[in-house]
Amino acid sequence: MISESSSFIKGVVLGGVFCMLVTLLGHIKVGHGTKAHHHEHHHIQAPNKEDVLNLSEDERVELSKSIHVYCIILVKPKDLGHWAAARETWSKHCDKAEFYSSENVKVFDSVAVNTNDMWMMMRKAYKIAYERYKDEFSWFFLAYPTTFAIIENLKYFLLKKDPSQPFYIGHTVKSGDLEYVDGEGGIVLSIESLRRLSRVLEDPDKCPEHGGMIWKLAEDKQLAICLKYTGVFAENAEDSEGKDVFNTKSVGALIKEAMSTHPQQVVDGCCSDMAITFSGLAPNHMHVMMYGVYRLRPYGHSYSDALVFLPPPGSDND
């Protein structure tokens, strides 16, 4: 009788241990190699204001002058309204901005890539940008014509990042096993990432122009697959409080969401103070953003920022 009771107790204990193991294993994500697991849910944050204030005056000036951003805007003739708005607003704040068009357009200057396919446009734009500017720029920002970017905030975010490292930054999205930067919010590549990309673009097995399953994916997903072969993984960009800084929606859409989810703190719940991009904007909304970001100032308020990112020489930016 005692041995039967002992066996029963052992069974209960072993069963409990087994259940615990199953539960623990259920929470462990199975990755494909150490690198993929290491990069899962990787977040990169902007520097704290205190970090900047701890720098000497000379270091601040040197840093503010050292970050040069080249902007790539992918456009098509049907986007003329957005093209004009981007040209007259935020793109002026890039150290150099060029529009890559699917075809020649007489109205505006552009680099014609002679294809209507977005993945081919992206490939050709990156290839041309690397060949022409690899020795001139350290950071490459790609955007669609419906995106509005605050380049000064992008430079602040990149302040202490090393462009010789393989950075691939923006608003990350997970699709199955693939984590990629959503093109709607803008895509940032360091010069090292672009160097690796330019090399893999020549390998049709890893990064084909067309054919196979990869052709059926959106261009931002295809970019992620090509970069993954080079050891460059998507990194989510956040401010020092953990809020996203690359937004795939407009300010209006984000405020509307915040009103339903954070009615007591709509502004705080909506967006980061250091937001870099907003997307899905109509041309007139871009001009409204330009007014709000660069023109409108509440009298008597002084922000006393420790860094000033001056416009490039010869620029007519606001």
Side-chain angles (χ1 to χ4, degrees), residues 70-76 83 97-103 109-113 121 124-130 132-133:
Y70 174 76
C71 296
I72 298 167
I73 303 104
L74 302 180
V75 291
K76 294 182 179 181
W83 187 341
E98 288 188 307
F99 293 82
Y100 287 76
S101 176
S102 56
E103 60 187 82
D109 290 333
S110 65
V111 181
V113 292
M121 286 182 68
K124 289 188 174 185
Y126 276 133
K127 187 173 182 180
I128 293 169
Y130 180 72
R132 292 182 180 178
Y133 304 114

Side-chain angles (χ1 to χ4, degrees), residues 12 66 127 160 222 224 260 315:
V12 170
S66 67
K127 187 173 182 180
K160 301 182 80 173
Q222 295 178 92
S260 61
S315 171

Side-chain angles (χ1 to χ4, degrees), residues 7 13 48 78 88 104 121 129-130 137 178 204 218 258 260 266 292 307 315:
S7 297
V13 171
N48 288 309
K78 66 180 179 64
E88 291 302 315
N104 274 314
M121 286 182 68
Y130 180 72
F137 296 98
L178 180 68
S260 61
V266 173
L307 288 165
S315 171

Side-chain angles (χ1 to χ4, degrees), residues 54-101:
N54 287 333
L55 298 172
S56 69
E57 184 63 30
D58 289 342
E59 285 176 318
R60 293 180 201 169
V61 172
E62 186 60 33
L63 274 173
S64 64
K65 289 181 178 179
S66 67
I67 301 173
H68 299 105
V69 176
Y70 174 76
C71 296
I72 298 167
I73 303 104
L74 302 180
V75 291
K76 294 182 179 181
K78 66 180 179 64
D79 303 322
L80 281 180
H82 286 92
W83 187 341
R87 182 172 172 269
E88 291 302 315
T89 58
W90 68 268
S91 67
K92 294 180 180 182
H93 291 249
C94 303
D95 292 288
K96 186 177 182 64
E98 288 188 307
F99 293 82
Y100 287 76
S101 176

